[in-house]
Amino acid sequence: MNINFLKDELKLVVSKKRYDHSIRVLKTALHLGEIYNVDLNKLTIASLLHDYAKEMPKQELIKISKDNFIIESKDYLDNSEILHSYASAYIAKNTFKVEDSEVLNAIKYHTTGRQNMKLIEKIVYLADAIEPKRDYPYVEKIRDLALVNLDKAILLEVNKKIEYLLKENYVIHIDSIEMRNWLLKTS
Ligand code: FE
Ligand code: FE
């Protein structure tokens, strides 16, 4: 996969703000990838495509998700936060012909996480949460933890995210809860 081609394609479909975010996610993911010895090429593709569908109209996101049975529960059909991850993975596979399941899963689960995540999924999930422009309580602590223990970093991140979702009375995706419980047991 030609990386400059991917960057150009991304530029065509997202705003400058989203494009710049994707590049920061890429840089953060590559930094973590070097620490944890992960295939940097896979990380590059997943990082550049993770938000590819983020700015698509909601109706289109719902259509892709419905038509292709890529959303397991209709409870979430309304939630573009989650749909953009699934649609981005779908487009990675069908438009960009990405076949690597680790790359596809890293894109698909970058918003919710899930239990039994592979290393590359953890890194993309975290890179999205801690790229340099992210600013929320405990982000510094999560950044520090990410350099030494990915699981502990994700656990703190998801705890803070769940606290926030509860406070705002937002839906909490079951995959995030399962990821948290899994990390509590294994980390
Ligand atoms: Fe996203
Ligand atoms: Fe993102």
Side-chain angles (χ1 to χ4, degrees), residues 65-83:
S65 302
K66 264 191 180 162
D67 288 357
N68 301 288
F69 305 102
I70 52 177
I71 188 142
E72 286 85 356
S73 164
K74 64 179 180 356
D75 297 350
Y76 302 114
L77 259 187
D78 220 25
N79 189 332
S80 31
E81 257 313 297
I82 288 160
L83 293 183

Side-chain angles (χ1 to χ4, degrees), residues 18 21 50-51 54 81 84-85 110-111 128 134:
R18 182 68 41 197
H21 159 73
H50 85 283
D51 273 346
K54 180 91 178 187
E81 257 313 297
H84 85 272
S85 321
H110 82 265
T111 307
D128 190 36
R134 293 287 193 205

Side-chain angles (χ1 to χ4, degrees), residues 14-140:
V14 296
S15 60
K16 177 161 186 343
K17 181 172 164 256
R18 182 68 41 197
Y19 179 80
D20 291 346
H21 159 73
S22 303
I23 299 297
R24 290 193 300 273
V25 170
L26 170 61
K27 287 190 177 149
T28 307
L30 291 179
H31 184 209
L32 294 173
E34 275 170 11
I35 296 175
Y36 294 100
N37 243 320
V38 176
D39 186 322
L40 300 184
N41 190 46
K42 288 186 185 186
L43 275 179
T44 301
I45 296 168
S47 300
L48 287 176
L49 291 178
H50 85 283
D51 273 346
Y52 186 89
K54 180 91 178 187
E55 294 174 4
M56 279 169 70
K58 194 168 168 188
Q59 281 318 311
E60 213 168 316
L61 289 177
I62 292 174
K63 189 171 174 354
I64 291 179
S65 302
K66 264 191 180 162
D67 288 357
N68 301 288
F69 305 102
I70 52 177
I71 188 142
E72 286 85 356
S73 164
K74 64 179 180 356
D75 297 350
Y76 302 114
L77 259 187
D78 220 25
N79 189 332
S80 31
E81 257 313 297
I82 288 160
L83 293 183
H84 85 272
S85 321
Y86 290 18
S88 296
Y90 177 81
I91 292 166
K93 186 165 190 231
N94 292 282
T95 304
F96 294 102
K97 307 297 175 201
V98 174
E99 280 169 12
D100 188 290
S101 63
E102 287 184 9
V103 174
L104 295 173
N105 285 332
I107 299 171
K108 182 171 180 184
Y109 296 104
H110 82 265
T111 307
T112 58
R114 61 164 183 159
Q115 60 184 339
N116 301 321
M117 291 163 97
K118 298 279 181 356
L119 201 46
I120 172 169
E121 292 176 60
K122 290 178 183 175
I123 288 180
V124 173
Y125 175 93
L126 260 184
D128 190 36
I130 64 172
E131 57 95 336
K133 287 253 164 98
R134 293 287 193 205
D135 187 17
Y136 54 88
Y138 290 89
V139 69
E140 279 303 333

